Amino acid sequence: MAYTIPKESFPGKVHEMALGTGDKAVAVGGGKVLPFHAFEGPVSAKPLVAIEIQDVPPADWPEEVRTPYAAVSDDPAKWAKYCQDELGAEAVALRLVGTHPDRENRSAADAVATVKAVLEAIQVPLVILGSNHAEKDAQVLVAVAEAASGKNCVIGKAQEANYKTIVAAALAHNHKLIAMSELDINLAKQLNILITQMGFNADRVLTDPMCSALGYGLEYTYSVMERIRLAALAQNDATMQPPIAGDVGMYVWKIKEVTAPEADVPEWGSLTERGVAWESLTATALILAGANLLIMRHPRAVDAVRKTVAELV
Amino acid sequence: MAMTGVEIFKLLPKTNCKKCGFPTCLAFAMKLAQRQADISACPDVSEEAKATLGEASAPPIRGMKLGVGEKATKMGEENVLFRHEKRFVNPCVFALNVPDSAGDDIVLTRAREVAESEIDRVGQKLRVEAISIEFASGDAARYAAAVKLAADTAPDAGLVLNCTDASAAKAAVQAVAARKPLLYGATAENMEAMAALAKENGLILAVRGQGLDEVTDLTAKAKAAGVNDLVMDGGAKTAREIIEQNTQVRRSAIKKGDKAVGFPIMTNCIREDSMLEATVAAVAVAKYSSIILISQAERWKNLALFTLRQNLYTDPQVPMQVPQKVYEIADPTPDSPLMITTNFSLTYFIVAGEVENSKVPARLAVMDCEGLSVLTAWAAGKFTANKIAQYITEGEGFDKVSKKELIIPGQVAILSGALEDKLPGWKITVGPREANGIPAFLKGRAA
C-alpha cells in the first residue's frame, strides 16, 4: 500500500534579505514552508549564526565561554578577525555592552571607533547591538549606523521605547534592523507595524520576539516563534513575514546550568560539555521553531549547530 | 477516520437509559465524538457497533505503555502538531542503546547509567526510561545473556530488543518476558516470525522500514497478523529526514485519520559525535518522536535533553510554577536584602537570574500565586498586602532574616503603604519595575 504524503502549501512567505557586502554577503530568511519542510516547497536560507563579540573584554561572561577567547578578547577587532578567520564565522555580532550607563558607560564616539575597527578587520556581515539601555542605545546606534554606512549591517535592537530614532538611522544608512518585543506575538506584530509605518520596509526587518534559555522559558520563545512563522505562512500576515532573530548566547551564558561546577552538582556532569550543550540545544530548538539568525557565543556550540544544520538542509 | 456525533448516534441503542451517565444517547454520542467519553460506558451497545466505534473513537495515534509496573512509560495519544494548540501529551522516551558485542562490562555500565539517570528538575523526576540492547554479536545465546544482564541491572527500565534476527529475539524474550520488552523489530523479511513472537508474548512491535511506503506496508501486515501495539521507524538517517517523516506521519494520523500510521514513532539518533547526537535528539524531541535511541547518556547530555523535553511537553495553558520558598542566592547573611515575587516560573527565573547577575547575596521569597506573574497576580487578588503579610509572618524560611526590610516589585509599588500597616516593624522598599533593573538596584544599595 503506497503512502500518500500530506503536503501543505501556504499563501504566505518569509522575506528574504541579504546582509553584508561583496563576496561574503549572505542571505537570511526567504522560503514558503515551515522550517526544513523541503518536501513541500522552498525552504528559508539556512540559518545564519553570528558569533558574538563585545566592545569591552568579556569579564562578565562565565569562564567556560570566556576562556576560548582569552587570547583575543582584549581587542574587538582582533576578536572579530579570530571569529571570521579561525572559527569560520559567516557573520559577527558586536554587542556594545560597554556603552551601558551602569557598565563602562562608553560614549557614542567610543562605540563608533570600535565599530570602524571591527569593520576594517572583517569581510563577513556585522550585526551591531546596543547595550539594551533604551535611551543610550538611541544615541549609540544612531552614531554607529552612520559610521557603518554602506556596509549593509544589522542594527539592533529597536524596541518600543526607542524605535523611532533607530529606525530613522537604519533607514538613512541602508542597514537592516532587529526589532525586539517581549515574548508576545501581538507585541511583535505591533512593533513591526510601527516600524513599517515609518517607511521602513518589512523586508529589511528581523523580528526578535525575545529569546530564553533552555529551562528558563524556552517553551515561550519556541511557541511565539512557531506562531509568528505560521501567521506569516498560513495566514499570509504581511506584518509577521520578517525573518526571526534569536539572541541565544546572552540568555544562555548566565544561568546556573552553565556556571555551576561539577563538584557542586555531580548529577549534572561535566560543566564544559553542559555549557556547550545548553547553548547548542537552545539554538537547535529555535531554528526548528523558525529562527533565521542566531547570535551565539561558544565556538563549540556554533560548531554543533553548524553540523546540525548540515543534517537539516 | 473520526466519526461525527450523529454517525455515532446511529450505532447506539437510542433508549436514553442514562446508564452511561449522560441524559440521552445523542448527548453521549456527542461526547464520544469529542473523545470525552468511552464507549464501554454503554451497557447495551452491540459488539459490532463497539468494534466500529472502537476503531473510529480511538485516538489518532495509538496509546501504549513501554515496560511494566509503576515506572512503565506511556507513549502516543498525541492530538496536535503545535504545542501552542494543545499540550503535547506523553513525553518521549529516551532509550540508551548498547551492542551485546561490547561485552558484559559495557552492558553493565550502560544499564547502570540508565538505572541511575534520574534527576529532579522543578519538582519533576526525569530519567532515561529505557535501555536498548542491540544484537551485534551474531550469537543468540550471548544476546539473551546481555539482555538479561541489562534487565537485571536496570530493574525499572523499559527494555528495547534492537534485533531483527527472529531466533535471537525469541531467546531474549524468553529471558525477560515478564518485563514486556519492545521488539525492534519487524522488517519485510522477518515480519511473520516477529509478529508471532510479539503476539504470543503481548509485546509492542516496532516496524523498521526504509521510508513511509514500506512502514505503511509493514504496519498493515503486523495488524493482519494480530499485533495492534505498534511503533514505527521509517529509517530516517538525517535530522531533515526525521522532521520530514515525523511531520508527515503526525499530519496523516491527526488531520487525515490515517490509521496505517497512527502509531508512536521511534527514531535512531545515534551519532559518533556525542554533542551532535544531543542536537539531533533535540530535533526528535521537538518534532514528534516517541522513542529516541541514543548511544551515550552522559549526565550533562541527560540534563539538557530532559530539560528540553520538559519545556516542550509543558501545558501551554497552565503556567509553570516553582514551589513557594525563600530562595537563597549567593550565600546570604541574615541582613542580606529580602525580595519578594510570585511563583510563575518565568518570573522566578528572570528575577533570580538578575539577582544572581548582581552578585549581591540576597533572599528571594517566592510566594505561591498559582503561577501568575506579578501584575496578573495582583490584579487577581492573589498578591495583595494581606496575603503578602500573611506569608511573611506565617511562611517558612523567614526565621533566618534579621533585617526587617522587604523589597517589593516596582509593578506593585501601590502596595507599600498597606504593607507597612500590615507588617508593623517592617520597612517596605519599592524595587525596580523590570527585572533588568535589579543588578543596578542591588549594587547601588550594597555600595
Side-chain angles (χ1 to χ4, degrees):
Chain A
M1 187 167 71
Y3 172 74
T4 311
I5 296 176
K7 290 187 189 173
E8 291 180 1
S9 64
F10 301 106
K13 60 170 182 188
V14 178
H15 289 306
E16 180 164 344
M17 62 174 69
L19 307 182
T21 55
D23 293 354
K24 301 282 179 160
V26 284
V28 170
K32 292 181 68 67
V33 294
L34 289 168
F36 312 110
H37 285 44
F39 67 95
E40 55 191 358
V43 292
S44 295
K46 78 182 164 65
L48 176 67
V49 177
I51 304 185
E52 181 179 344
I53 66 168
Q54 58 184 39
D55 59 342
V56 290
D60 53 325
W61 289 14
E63 193 183 343
E64 289 297 330
V65 69
R66 205 171 59 227
T67 312
Y69 299 111
V72 292
S73 58
D74 58 327
D75 172 8
K78 198 162 60 169
W79 191 355
K81 195 162 172 50
Y82 175 79
C83 293
Q84 173 189 276
D85 296 347
E86 304 301 321
L87 304 179
E90 289 172 278
V92 170
L94 167 65
R95 195 182 305 276
L96 298 164
V97 69
T99 61
H100 196 288
D102 296 339
R103 296 278 307 254
E104 288 80 354
N105 200 18
R106 297 177 84 236
S107 67
D110 294 338
V112 163
T114 303
V115 166
K116 283 187 168 163
V118 168
L119 282 169
E120 194 69 22
I122 58 170
Q123 290 80 49
V124 295
L126 183 65
V127 179
I128 307 171
L129 302 165
S131 65
N132 205 23
H133 184 281
E135 290 151 41
K136 187 70 181 278
D137 279 2
Q139 299 170 27
V140 169
L141 293 177
V142 167
V144 300
E146 187 181 355
S149 192
K151 293 288 189 176
N152 196 14
C153 297
V154 180
I155 306 284
K157 302 169 180 176
Q159 306 182 41
E160 197 191 347
N162 63 8
Y163 74 94
K164 283 185 183 159
T165 43
I166 299 172
V167 169
L171 192 61
H173 300 287
N174 262 316
H175 296 300
K176 306 300 189 289
L177 183 78
I178 296 180
M180 189 186 89
S181 48
E182 294 187 353
L183 274 184
D184 181 317
I185 186 170
N186 294 313
L187 293 178
K189 188 178 160 88
Q190 185 189 325
L191 184 58
N192 289 352
I193 291 172
L194 291 172
I195 287 170
T196 48
Q197 278 172 350
M198 288 181 66
F200 197 86
N201 282 343
D203 62 4
R204 294 173 57 194
V205 177
L206 288 132
T207 202
D208 174 1
M210 197 162 149
C211 196
S212 341
L214 175 60
Y216 293 81
L218 178 69
E219 67 273 30
Y220 294 92
T221 300
Y222 184 89
S223 282
V224 171
M225 284 186 181
E226 274 198 333
R227 291 176 62 200
I228 289 175
R229 211 21 89 242
L230 283 165
L233 297 170
Q235 283 133 45
N236 199 10
D237 181 342
T239 65
M240 299 270 74
Q241 290 174 340
I244 298 175
D247 199 353
V248 173
M250 163 172 129
Y251 286 90
V252 167
W253 290 102
K254 63 178 184 183
I255 59 167
K256 208 163 52 203
E257 281 78 356
V258 304
T259 50
E262 189 173 358
D264 292 357
V265 271
E267 69 274 23
W268 287 2
S270 160
L271 172 60
T272 302
E273 301 306 305
R274 204 192 312 140
V276 173
W278 223 261
E279 189 173 25
S280 303
L281 261 68
T282 304
T284 301
L286 296 183
I287 59 176
L288 301 181
N292 302 93
L293 169 69
L294 299 171
I295 298 166
M296 296 180 64
R297 289 186 179 173
H298 201 291
R300 285 186 54 210
V302 171
D303 187 52
V305 169
R306 211 177 269 156
K307 286 177 182 151
T308 311
V309 168
E311 272 206 28
L312 280 165
V313 295
Chain B
M1 200 65 186
M3 294 171 77
T4 65
V6 174
E7 284 166 349
I8 295 172
F9 175 66
K10 289 177 185 160
L11 299 170
L12 295 178
K14 304 190 193 72
T15 51
N16 297 338
C17 70
K18 301 187 178 62
K19 288 180 203 159
C20 62
F22 294 94
T24 63
C25 288
L26 184 60
F28 182 49
M30 292 300 168
K31 288 288 169 190
L32 285 172
Q34 292 162 21
R35 300 203 177 92
Q36 289 170 355
D38 194 282
I39 185 64
S40 61
C42 176
D44 303 320
V45 73
S46 72
E47 282 306 314
E48 194 191 338
K50 220 185 234 178
T52 314
L53 277 171
E55 181 77 6
S57 67
I61 296 171
R62 188 177 169 88
M64 58 197 74
K65 272 184 180 173
L66 177 63
V68 291
E70 271 178 34
K71 297 255 178 163
T73 320
K74 204 119 200 258
M75 306 185 295
E77 296 182 349
E78 300 296 336
N79 302 302
V80 294
L81 281 129
F82 302 102
R83 61 178 296 283
H84 62 263
E85 297 171 328
K86 206 173 170 198
R87 181 172 66 94
F88 285 176
V89 182
N90 289 312
C92 53
V93 166
F94 293 114
L96 178 59
N97 186 68
V98 58
D100 65 344
S101 55
D104 281 352
D105 283 355
I106 301 289
V107 173
L108 192 72
T109 307
R110 294 286 178 262
R112 274 202 191 123
E113 283 169 6
V114 170
E116 293 161 8
S117 62
E118 190 169 283
I119 299 176
D120 191 302
R121 193 181 154 82
V122 278
Q124 289 182 6
K125 291 193 185 325
L126 310 168
R127 64 193 183 107
V128 174
E129 290 82 359
I131 181 141
S132 156
I133 306 93
E134 181 180 349
F135 181 54
S137 66
D139 173 351
R142 160 78 208 131
Y143 185 57
V147 168
K148 181 83 169 62
L149 177 63
D152 292 345
T153 311
D156 291 327
L159 301 176
V160 172
L161 301 184
N162 182 354
C163 173
T164 52
D165 181 305
S167 58
K170 191 166 187 179
V173 168
Q174 275 166 1
V176 293
R179 295 279 291 275
K180 300 280 174 199
L182 178 146
L183 275 181
Y184 173 65
T187 62
E189 291 73 39
N190 68 16
M191 177 56 83
E192 202 178 324
M194 283 291 187
L197 186 59
K199 193 175 177 201
E200 198 177 310
N201 293 279
L203 309 179
I204 300 173
L205 180 64
V207 302
R208 300 164 70 146
Q210 291 305 320
L212 297 178
D213 271 342
E214 193 181 355
V215 163
T216 311
D217 213 33
L218 292 173
T219 58
K221 283 187 175 132
K223 278 199 273 191
V227 185
N228 293 314
D229 286 337
L230 299 172
V231 164
M232 312 175 295
D233 177 1
K237 297 265 183 316
T238 61
R240 171 176 160 178
E241 286 177 5
I242 295 172
I243 292 189
E244 293 195 343
Q245 284 191 359
N246 290 9
T247 301
Q248 290 165 8
V249 161
R250 176 81 58 108
R251 272 189 199 161
S252 294
I254 288 168
K255 293 187 163 178
K256 315 265 182 210
D258 185 348
K259 294 286 177 193
V261 291
F263 301 101
I265 300 166
M266 181 155 178
T267 306
N268 182 340
C269 293
I270 294 175
R271 300 289 184 278
E272 202 158 318
D273 171 350
S274 189
M275 196 60 72
L276 183 62
E277 184 170 290
T279 56
V280 173
V283 172
V285 171
K287 289 290 163 184
Y288 320 135
S289 292
S290 287
I291 306 181
I292 295 171
L293 216 55
I294 53 175
S295 67
Q296 294 181 70
E298 304 92 332
R299 290 177 177 278
W300 56 265
K301 188 202 249 171
N302 291 349
L303 183 69
L305 283 173
F306 295 168
T307 306
L308 181 69
R309 175 177 64 179
Q310 184 181 45
N311 281 176
L312 296 183
Y313 277 85
T314 299
D315 190 337
Q317 265 126 41
V318 179
M320 278 282 278
Q321 306 183 22
V322 292
Q324 169 166 300
K325 189 175 147 181
V326 178
Y327 291 82
E328 302 199 336
I329 298 169
D331 292 323
T333 58
D335 61 352
S336 294
L338 171 68
M339 313 176 74
I340 189 162
T341 192
T342 66
N343 75 328
F344 175 39
S345 67
L346 209 52
T347 300
Y348 163 74
F349 285 139
I350 292 171
V351 172
E354 293 295 354
V355 175
E356 274 174 38
N357 281 347
S358 77
K359 309 252 184 333
V360 176
R363 285 190 176 76
L364 179 62
V366 172
M367 185 171 140
D368 183 359
C369 297
E370 294 167 32
L372 298 180
S373 64
V374 169
L375 262 188
T376 324
W378 171 74
K382 297 182 197 305
F383 197 57
T384 60
N386 261 331
K387 291 189 172 158
I388 294 172
Q390 189 186 4
Y391 173 47
I392 299 287
T393 29
E394 295 168 17
E396 282 174 27
F398 295 100
D399 46 337
K400 289 186 199 156
V401 178
S402 67
K403 190 173 171 190
K404 298 210 161 189
E405 179 188 5
L406 181 66
I407 300 166
I408 62 171
Q411 303 259 23
V412 290
I414 193 169
L415 293 178
S416 65
L419 265 172
E420 284 190 338
D421 292 345
K422 308 270 181 209
L423 284 171
W426 280 76
K427 180 181 173 200
I428 306 300
T429 300
V430 176
R433 283 181 62 84
E434 300 291 338
N436 62 18
I438 290 174
F441 172 81
L442 286 178
K443 278 191 245 174
R445 287 168 48 96

